[in-house]
Amino acid sequence: MSVIHQVPEGHVGVYWRGGALLKTITEPGFHMKMPFITQFEPVQVTLQTDEVTDIPCGTKGGVMITFGKIEVVNRLHKESVYETLLNYGVEYDKTWIYDKIHHEINQFCSSHSLQQVYIDVFDQIDEKMKDALQVDCTRYAPGIEIIAVRVTKPNIPENISHNYEQMEEERTKGLIAIEKQKVSEKEAETMKKMAISEAEKNANVSKILMEQKLLEKDSARKQEEIENAMYLAREKSLADADFYRVIREAEANRLKLTPEFLELKFIESIANNTKIFFGDKIPNIVLDQRLLGNFLVEEVSRGETPKMKADI
């Protein structure tokens, strides 16, 4: 009835004049219209969630079930508002979401058993509904975009629900037993790994100790070889020194065997003789110094000490 009206944020303004939809689309804010002649309606163009409740359907086996709530997240594109409302009106979502969900759910249930709908393929219903809605919207109402579909667990007859609860309880027990077995296997595997690790550690320690002993033996052997080499070198040095001393003494002795030295020794030997002989016939001693010298040289060269005895 008023001239001035407001378009809320997230919406666009749509107008009818004399029942005919106008192509005028207004943005959020205050606008003016002709009262009594022009009607105004805000249309949401942001994300919105439509809730479809109490959807009955029959499975392939003839069991009636009910989906308590299915949520459809959708959006109407701003540039397609005029075409969509021109073809399907302001309640376009009733045609392409509410009614379409009922149709698709019944189609799905009629081709699947209760076991499949309730358990086996329940996790696939969301995507199947989304794809089915989007295919028809793209074909007939391209301005509508289906973002997501959320399906709640259907309500099934109480006696069947009790059976499923028992089955789930048994399944849970089986899963618990399997998990316990996995835990036991994991513990056994852990103990095995710990034993292997401990054995490897002990083996490494033994290897290190053995290598240490071998190094000690090798070090002792090398030390003994060095000591033996030092001993041999010392003994060889001593032997060489003794040999050199003997050679030098022999050379010195040869140098001493001069006629003068032999004469001196001869005189000393005669002087040290304490035997005195008396008589008429005392043998004459004729000494040839050259023969005596040769005799002494031969004695020394044979390694014997010359012994001379003079009788007076």
Side-chain angles (χ1 to χ4, degrees):
M1 299 294 291
S2 62
V3 175
I4 298 175
H5 62 281
Q6 181 184 12
V7 178
E9 190 65 48
H11 295 67
V12 294
V14 182
Y15 303 89
W16 288 263
R17 183 175 296 165
L21 178 65
L22 302 180
K23 292 185 177 181
T24 303
I25 304 294
T26 57
E27 298 292 334
F30 288 101
H31 300 277
M32 298 180 66
K33 66 180 181 63
M34 297 177 62
F36 302 105
I37 298 176
T38 304
Q39 288 78 38
F40 156 76
E41 187 74 30
V43 177
Q44 186 174 353
V45 290
T46 56
L47 293 180
Q48 60 180 338
T49 302
D50 294 328
E51 292 186 359
V52 186
T53 59
D54 298 328
I55 309 167
C57 67
T59 65
K60 185 169 65 173
V63 179
M64 291 298 299
I65 61 177
T66 303
F67 286 88
K69 181 176 66 174
I70 296 179
E71 297 177 343
V72 181
V73 182
N74 62 93
R75 177 175 59 186
L76 176 61
H77 293 283
K78 186 185 299 185
E79 59 274 12
S80 301
V81 170
Y82 176 77
E83 294 293 336
T84 303
L85 268 63
L86 182 64
N87 294 323
Y88 308 108
V90 177
E91 296 184 355
Y92 64 91
D93 50 358
K94 181 180 184 303
T95 302
W96 293 111
I97 293 177
Y98 290 91
D99 295 345
K100 188 66 175 174
I101 280 292
H102 279 269
H103 172 72
E104 294 297 335
I105 284 293
N106 278 273
Q107 288 288 105
F108 181 82
C109 290
S110 63
S111 60
H112 293 81
S113 65
L114 177 62
Q115 173 71 20
Q116 291 174 324
V117 174
Y118 194 69
I119 295 177
D120 295 343
V121 296
F122 176 77
D123 58 337
Q124 303 175 17
I125 298 178
D126 296 348
E127 289 298 322
K128 288 183 179 298
M129 293 298 105
K130 175 180 177 298
D131 294 341
L133 291 176
Q134 188 63 67
V135 167
D136 284 347
C137 286
T138 302
R139 182 177 180 182
Y140 298 105
I144 303 173
E145 179 184 4
I146 306 301
I147 307 299
V149 176
R150 296 186 291 266
V151 181
T152 59
K153 203 77 170 175
N155 299 319
I156 62 177
E158 185 176 354
N159 57 337
I160 299 177
S161 175
H162 180 67
N163 293 335
Y164 274 109
E165 289 175 358
Q166 288 183 337
M167 291 172 57
E168 188 64 23
E169 182 179 355
E170 294 297 327
R171 179 173 174 272
T172 303
K173 290 180 180 179
L175 291 176
I176 292 174
I178 292 173
E179 290 300 321
K180 287 183 177 180
Q181 182 179 359
K182 289 181 178 179
V183 170
S184 299
E185 292 176 354
K186 195 68 176 178
E187 290 177 351
E189 184 69 20
T190 302
M191 294 296 294
K192 180 181 178 181
K193 290 181 178 179
M194 291 176 62
I196 292 174
S197 177
E198 186 69 20
E200 290 178 349
K201 183 182 73 174
N202 294 334
N204 291 332
V205 171
S206 300
K207 181 180 179 181
I208 292 172
L209 293 176
M210 181 61 67
E211 290 177 352
Q212 182 180 359
K213 290 181 179 180
L214 290 175
L215 289 175
E216 290 177 355
K217 293 290 185 181
D218 188 61
S219 177
R221 178 182 61 79
K222 290 181 179 179
Q223 183 177 358
E224 185 177 357
E225 289 177 354
I226 293 172
E227 291 178 354
N228 292 338
M230 291 175 61
Y231 175 77
L232 290 175
R234 185 172 59 253
E235 291 296 322
K236 182 179 179 182
S237 178
L238 293 175
D240 291 343
D242 188 60
F243 177 75
Y244 180 76
R245 181 182 57 79
V246 172
I247 293 298
R248 298 302 293 176
E249 286 181 355
E251 291 179 353
N253 289 333
R254 282 196 299 271
L255 293 174
K256 288 179 180 181
L257 294 178
T258 61
E260 292 80 6
F261 180 75
L262 293 176
E263 184 177 359
L264 174 61
K265 289 299 181 179
F266 177 71
I267 295 171
E268 288 177 355
S269 177
I270 292 175
N272 292 329
N273 192 356
T274 58
K275 293 182 180 181
I276 300 174
F277 297 91
F278 298 92
D280 294 335
K281 296 180 179 179
I282 298 176
N284 295 325
I285 302 174
V286 181
L287 297 176
D288 189 341
Q289 293 181 355
R290 289 178 296 177
L291 294 175
L292 179 60
N294 293 333
F295 169 75
L296 293 175
V297 170
E298 292 177 358
E299 290 293 320
V300 171
S301 64
R302 288 199 301 267
E304 298 179 358
T305 303
K307 298 179 181 180
M308 297 180 298
K309 180 178 181 183
D311 294 333
I312 300 176

